[in-house]
């Protein structure tokens, strides 16, 4: 039987041109593909004036040319002008180059000189035969970002052709440009692609030149326009209003009465904002953010209670089994005694368990469904999904969030109704980042921790103090306290004899990425640490547990249950415990190879302790020497416990990427602007976007088309 032809959808079409390999499709894509730096070919530099490591254009005649060397042959060409001599070296050349560089030929040579054994030399410069009176370029030569096999000559020609076809009409109001001291777009692109001699190159290459400010402003303006349009578009969508019932038997009222604590003012304010949104007939799209341990789950529980009370279902999706299990435990403890039917969906379930959960969700008997990615799989059906909650939203992609929303799409009469969407994040988002990437959402913030949380003392130790840290752990375990010990990855080389019995007890490993060999050699592995600490604790060895992402889900759940119940005193783990683990009795967190973690991740891990009333510590072990960035991270964590302060520092150190996860697909539009240095431009762009949409929608439309074309899908989620 002949092989089945592959569906066209099975793989994306391959780029058909060099430009497409760089993501350049429209003429505007080419015009906005801006140079990295420039070469000055507008003047000839005498050989005597050459300076090492400074590119220059030389015009000189060949005086000698020879192929030298035996094992490593090279073409050596001597050239001279009226001021001196220069040697050109070519290690890769064709035989006919000897004739091309024959004595007497006049060459124009562009390259970077360096000091050689016999004076200045250039290695593999760009050379061409020139007439004595050949004109020089009138502008600097741009050097563009390029990929393998894409030459600068091709790019320059393609970009020039694209620019010649463009409508360079200025769409932004002249008054706005004057107020911000920005040039017009036609002049901006002329200058950036072909600067005249005398243009200060430093301001072009560090992007502080007014032309660069115009480009960055326009880019940020396009993003802000897109976000405002996405927000406006959602006002035309419809959702089922989840109207709160009146009376003392309302589910939210009963939940608040049953809680063993009172809500903080921040929690109350966020719950009120969400409740007001849920009562509307347009879908809520709200981000609930708060520091580690700020109490976001109880706010989500109140939102779920409002949905259930209104006769609808609620689904909560979390990225890991551990986090989803913690939500299940808390929400079930709070809501099941009040008559709410809670179902659990996970990839680790048996077929029988899963079929039962699917049946409960599809029939509507399950009023709250909690789970992992399993919640969005094709077989999952809901009767009336009114609210979708996504925790740690930055760990999910756009498509995954859209899939969860699609589970609740319902046709009411002739129109489709969407579920309300609440996203949660325990990684506080700095203001500029929130404005740039989440500007289309409403944001609720829990800014303060609940009272009674114990401050966590953070200390930093070099690896040579590890024995003292181990001794501290031994003392705490002997005293009945609970401790986390976090390692960066799981070893997968042959286990030591001491580790083998523990591995047999740990259960079948879950499938996942096999760590690279260099990682395994560099970092202390979780299994080795587990075996070592068991040996150190001696008679208390049975109280040591091991938890990592490659364990089977059932084994993970059992280990966490044993630790939460106090049957395990020391938990050796990888970063699977970064979020969702809530064991108030744990008072010490040890993080090994702390220099390998990001600042926000370190803060999340530290947040696993200090959740009760007892004093807590976090000990950061590092292996010297520390890089400057690692030193700053550890210092920042030691100096501050405020997640908002640390998130801002993380943004400064690493940029926005890891704070956002796949929501940052929207940041692909930010090719030129920098959220850290261009905050003032971002503020101006936001104001301008609101003004244009209100007073000049055609200019807004043209500006969006110029910058983003059809690439607006990322705003949908």
């Amino acid at each position: 039987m002949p092989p089945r032809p592959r569906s066209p959808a099975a793989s994306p079409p391959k780029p058909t041109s060099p430009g497409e390999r760089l993501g350049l499709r429209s003429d505007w894509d080419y015009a906005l593909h801006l140079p990295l730096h420039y070469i000055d070919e507008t003047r000839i530099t005498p050989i005597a004036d050459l300076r090492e490591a400074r590119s220059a254009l030389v015009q000189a005649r060949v005086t000698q040319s020879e192929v030298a060397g035996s094992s490593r042959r090279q073409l050596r060409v001597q050239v001279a002008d009226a001021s001196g001599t220069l040697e050109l070296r070519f290690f890769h050349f064709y035989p006919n180059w000897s004739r091309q560089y024959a004595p007497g030929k006049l060459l124009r040579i562009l390259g970077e000189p360096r000091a050689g054994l016999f004076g200045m030399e250039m290695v593999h410069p760009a050379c061409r035969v020139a007439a004595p009176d050949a004109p020089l370029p009138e502008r600097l030569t741009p050097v563009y970002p390029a990929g393998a096999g894409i030459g600068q000559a091709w790019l320059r020609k393609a970009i020039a052709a694209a620019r010649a076809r463009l409508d360079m009409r200025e769409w932004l109001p002249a008054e706005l440009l004057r107020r911000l001291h920005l040039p017009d777009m036609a002049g901006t692109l002329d200058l950036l692609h072909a600067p005249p001699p005398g243009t200060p190159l430093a301001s072009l290459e560090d992007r502080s030149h007014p032309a660069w400010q115009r480009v960055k402003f326009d880019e940020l303006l396009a993003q802000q326009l897109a976000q405002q349009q996405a927000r406006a578009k959602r006002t035309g969508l419809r959702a089922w209003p989840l109207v709160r019932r009146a009376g003392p038997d309302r589910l939210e009222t009963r939940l608040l009465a049953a809680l063993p604590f009172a809500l903080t003012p921040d929690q109350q304010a966020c719950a009120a904002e969400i409740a007001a949104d849920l009562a509307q007939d347009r879908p809520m799209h709200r981000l609930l953010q708060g520091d580690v341990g700020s109490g976001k789950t109880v706010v989500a529980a109140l939102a779920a209670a409002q949905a259930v009370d209104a006769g609808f279902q609620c689904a909560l999706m979390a990225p890991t089994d551990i986090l989803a299990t913690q939500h299940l435990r808390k929400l079930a403890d709070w809501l099941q005694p009040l008559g709410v039917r809670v179902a659990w969906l996970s990839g680790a379930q048996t077929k029988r368990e899963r079929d039962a959960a699917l049946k409960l969700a599809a029939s509507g008997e399950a009023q709250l469904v909690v789970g992992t990615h399993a919640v969005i799989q094709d077989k999952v059906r809901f009767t009336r999904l009114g609210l979708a909650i996504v925790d740690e939203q930055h760990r999910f992609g756009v498509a995954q969030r859209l899939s969860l929303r699609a589970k609740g799409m319902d046709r009411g009469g002739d129109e489709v109704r969407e579920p309300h969407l609440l996203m949660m994040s325990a990684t506080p988002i700095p203001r500029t980042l929130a404005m740039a990437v989440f500007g289309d959402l409403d944001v609720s913030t829990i800014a303060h921790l609940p009272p009674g949380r114990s401050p966590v003392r953070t200390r930093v130790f070099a690896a040579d103090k590890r024995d003292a840290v181990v001794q501290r752990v031994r003392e705490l375990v002997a005293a009945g306290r609970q401790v986390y010990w976090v390692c960066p990855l799981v070893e997968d080389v042959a286990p030591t004899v001491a580790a083998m019995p523990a591995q047999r007890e740990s259960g079948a490993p879950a499938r996942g990425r096999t760590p690279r060999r260099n990682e395994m050699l560099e970092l202390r592995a979780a299994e080795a640490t587990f075996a070592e600490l068991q040996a150190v604790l001696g008679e208390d060895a049975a109280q040591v547990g091991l938890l990592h992402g490659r364990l089977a889900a059932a084994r993970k759940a059992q280990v966490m249950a044993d630790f939460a119940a106090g049957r395990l005193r020391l938990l050796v783990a990888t970063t699977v415990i970064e979020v969702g683990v809530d064991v108030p009795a744990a008072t010490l967190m040890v993080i090994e190879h702390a220099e390998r973690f990001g600042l926000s991740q370190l803060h999340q891990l530290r947040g696993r302790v200090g959740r009760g009333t007892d004093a807590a510590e976090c000990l950061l072990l590092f292996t010297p020497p520390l890089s400057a960035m690692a030193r700053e991270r550890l210092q920042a964590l030691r100096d501050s416990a405020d997640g908002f302060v640390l998130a801002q520092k993380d943004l400064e150190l690493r940029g926005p990427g890891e704070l956002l996860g796949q929501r940052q697909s929207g940041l692909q539009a930010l090719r030129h602007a920098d959220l850290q240095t261009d905050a003032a431009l971002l503020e101006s762009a936001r104001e301008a976007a609101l003004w244009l949409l209100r007073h000049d929608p055609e200019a807004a439309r043209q500006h969006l088309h110029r910058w983003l074309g059809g690439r607006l899908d990322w705003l949908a989620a």
Side-chain angles (χ1 to χ4, degrees):
M1 180 181 294
R4 294 178 62 183
R6 295 184 68 185
S7 165
S11 60
K14 293 183 178 179
T16 57
S17 74
E20 286 191 9
R21 296 208 299 271
L22 296 175
L24 308 179
R25 293 175 177 83
S26 72
D27 286 342
W28 273 107
D29 288 341
Y30 280 91
L32 295 169
H33 190 70
L34 299 175
L36 290 170
H37 57 90
Y38 304 87
I39 299 169
D40 188 355
E41 295 183 275
T42 64
R43 62 188 182 90
I44 292 172
T45 302
I47 290 175
D49 293 343
L50 291 177
R51 295 293 178 265
E52 194 168 2
R54 288 189 186 179
S55 292
L57 181 68
V58 172
Q59 183 166 293
R61 288 193 183 276
V62 177
T63 59
Q64 184 180 346
S65 175
E66 65 172 351
V67 175
S70 53
S71 60
R72 189 182 183 191
R73 293 163 61 80
Q74 59 179 288
L75 175 64
R76 298 174 59 184
V77 180
Q78 297 284 342
V79 298
D81 65 6
S83 71
T85 61
L86 175 70
E87 182 167 290
L88 314 180
R89 290 176 179 267
F90 300 92
F91 297 102
H92 307 285
F93 58 93
Y94 292 101
N96 66 344
W97 283 21
S98 296
R99 294 192 301 274
Q100 182 178 331
Y101 296 122
K105 290 285 182 75
L106 182 66
L107 303 178
R108 280 196 181 157
I109 306 153
L110 179 66
E112 189 174 284
R114 70 181 190 183
L117 290 175
F118 306 103
M120 281 291 185
E121 65 180 23
M122 289 183 180
V123 177
H124 280 282
C127 301
R128 66 177 183 273
V129 177
D133 56 351
L136 293 168
E138 296 180 355
R139 289 178 174 262
L140 304 184
T141 303
V143 178
Y144 294 101
I150 302 176
Q152 289 295 318
W154 186 92
L155 265 176
R156 289 171 191 144
K157 184 177 178 180
I159 289 170
R163 289 178 57 210
R165 293 189 294 265
L166 286 175
D167 175 2
M168 291 303 301
R169 199 179 326 176
E170 182 59 74
W171 288 103
L172 298 188
E175 175 55 33
L176 172 66
L177 298 180
R178 273 195 302 273
R179 180 165 54 84
L180 296 175
H181 307 290
L182 298 175
D184 65 272
M185 180 52 77
T188 289
L189 292 181
D190 283 345
L191 187 140
L192 290 177
H193 285 290
T199 304
L201 290 183
S203 66
L204 289 180
E205 293 178 358
D206 70 9
R207 303 191 174 189
S208 62
H209 192 282
W212 264 111
Q213 295 299 300
R214 173 63 198 269
V215 167
K216 293 193 284 188
F217 173 79
D218 277 27
E219 182 176 49
L220 292 168
L221 175 60
Q223 191 192 56
Q224 292 299 307
L225 285 169
Q227 290 182 343
Q228 294 303 323
Q229 284 198 351
R231 181 188 286 268
K233 181 180 178 181
R234 280 203 294 269
T235 63
L237 301 176
R238 288 292 172 262
W240 294 107
L242 310 182
V243 180
R244 302 167 97 174
R245 291 194 302 113
D249 62 338
R250 188 174 67 188
L251 184 56
E252 296 160 80
T253 303
R254 292 188 288 132
L255 172 58
L256 288 170
L259 291 174
F261 54 84
L263 265 59
T264 66
D266 282 356
Q267 290 170 332
Q268 292 174 8
C270 291
E273 290 171 349
I274 293 167
D277 281 357
L278 293 177
Q280 303 298 314
D281 64 353
R282 61 178 182 272
M284 173 182 75
H285 279 241
R286 185 171 286 276
L287 174 69
L288 174 63
Q289 65 169 346
D291 205 347
V292 179
S294 60
K296 296 178 294 297
T297 304
V298 72
V299 175
L302 289 167
Q306 182 170 337
V308 170
D309 222 18
F312 290 84
Q313 292 170 289
C314 174
L316 187 151
M317 182 169 70
T320 66
D321 280 314
I322 290 175
L323 180 53
T325 302
Q326 292 288 322
H327 280 309
L328 177 70
R329 182 174 59 80
K330 280 190 176 181
L331 294 173
D333 286 350
W334 290 339
L335 293 172
Q336 280 188 161
L338 304 178
V340 177
R341 185 77 179 270
V342 181
W344 164 249
L345 272 175
S346 165
Q349 289 174 304
T350 65
K351 184 178 185 304
R352 182 175 181 180
E353 292 170 336
R354 182 172 179 75
D355 288 346
L358 290 173
K359 184 177 179 181
L360 289 172
S363 68
E365 289 182 68
Q367 298 156 298
L368 171 62
V369 178
V370 180
T372 57
H373 299 73
V375 172
I376 59 174
Q377 291 181 354
D378 290 342
K379 292 183 179 180
V380 182
R381 297 285 184 272
F382 294 90
T383 301
R384 295 187 84 194
L385 182 61
L387 172 63
I389 301 173
V390 181
D391 196 14
E392 291 299 303
Q393 57 80 30
H394 60 286
R395 295 179 178 227
F396 292 102
V398 169
Q400 292 167 319
R401 289 192 293 271
L402 287 175
S403 294
L404 181 56
R405 279 174 53 196
K407 294 292 182 186
M409 295 282 189
D410 191 13
R411 186 167 293 280
D414 292 327
E415 62 179 352
V416 172
R417 304 237 178 178
E418 289 197 353
H420 298 276
L421 178 63
L422 176 63
M423 295 182 283
M424 300 196 295
S425 175
T427 301
I429 300 166
R431 184 175 180 274
T432 53
L433 204 56
M435 191 189 309
V437 184
F438 295 99
D440 58 310
L441 302 179
D442 297 306
V443 180
S444 294
T445 301
I446 304 177
H448 302 94
L449 296 179
R453 288 292 302 269
S454 174
V456 180
R457 183 187 181 194
T458 302
R459 294 191 287 168
V460 181
F461 295 93
D464 59 7
K465 303 292 185 185
R466 193 172 185 279
D467 289 346
V469 173
V470 170
Q471 182 58 32
R472 172 72 173 149
V473 169
R474 182 177 184 177
E475 292 169 358
L476 286 176
V477 169
R481 311 298 283 274
Q482 288 183 279
V483 177
Y484 296 100
W485 188 296
V486 175
C487 302
L489 86 165
V490 176
E491 180 70 79
D492 80 344
V493 295
T496 62
V497 174
M500 289 177 66
Q503 288 183 317
R504 284 196 295 269
E505 295 170 3
S506 66
R511 294 179 180 176
R513 180 183 73 83
T514 301
R516 295 190 299 271
R517 183 77 179 179
N518 63 336
E519 288 176 329
M520 296 184 295
L521 294 174
E522 283 181 327
L523 304 176
R524 181 174 294 272
E527 286 96 336
T529 303
F530 172 64
E532 175 195 2
L533 292 174
Q534 277 193 318
V536 167
L537 292 177
E539 60 185 23
D540 293 323
Q543 297 183 26
V544 185
L546 175 63
L547 185 68
H548 56 72
R550 296 163 68 200
L551 288 178
R555 179 60 181 165
K556 287 182 199 172
Q558 184 60 55
V559 171
M560 278 311 308
D562 288 344
F563 190 64
R567 291 186 289 273
L568 295 176
R569 295 291 179 184
L570 171 57
L571 183 61
V572 178
T574 58
T575 54
V576 293
I577 65 160
E578 179 184 347
V579 291
V581 176
D582 185 9
V583 181
T587 58
L588 177 63
M589 166 68 69
V590 179
I591 304 176
E592 196 156 15
H593 289 290
E595 75 278 6
R596 303 281 179 160
F597 295 93
L599 184 52
S600 291
Q601 191 175 36
L602 287 170
H603 180 57
Q604 290 284 340
L605 289 167
R606 179 174 62 180
R608 299 312 104 203
V609 295
R611 304 177 81 86
T613 56
D614 294 329
E617 284 183 297
C618 178
L619 307 184
L620 307 176
L621 281 170
F622 70 89
T623 301
L626 283 178
S627 68
M629 183 180 290
R631 188 177 300 278
E632 279 197 71
R633 281 201 301 266
L634 299 185
Q635 181 69 37
L637 196 75
R638 186 172 63 182
D639 292 347
S640 179
D642 188 324
F644 289 89
V645 171
L646 294 174
Q648 180 61 43
K649 184 67 175 178
D650 210 19
L651 175 62
E652 294 169 9
L653 291 174
R654 293 194 297 167
E658 294 190 38
L659 294 178
L660 297 175
Q662 295 185 53
R663 169 78 181 190
Q664 78 209 33
S665 55
L667 283 179
Q668 291 171 1
L670 291 184
R671 290 170 285 169
H672 308 302
D674 186 319
L675 295 181
Q676 296 161 238
T677 60
D678 299 322
L681 278 179
L682 177 59
E683 295 274 6
S684 299
R686 186 173 180 80
E687 294 173 9
L690 294 170
W691 189 93
L692 284 175
L693 289 170
R694 191 177 302 118
H695 299 289
D696 197 344
E698 177 60 15
R701 188 184 71 80
Q702 292 287 351
H703 190 86
L704 265 178
H705 176 73
R706 179 174 289 184
W707 275 92
L708 297 181
R711 300 191 293 267
L712 299 176
D713 292 346
W714 65 279
L715 287 167

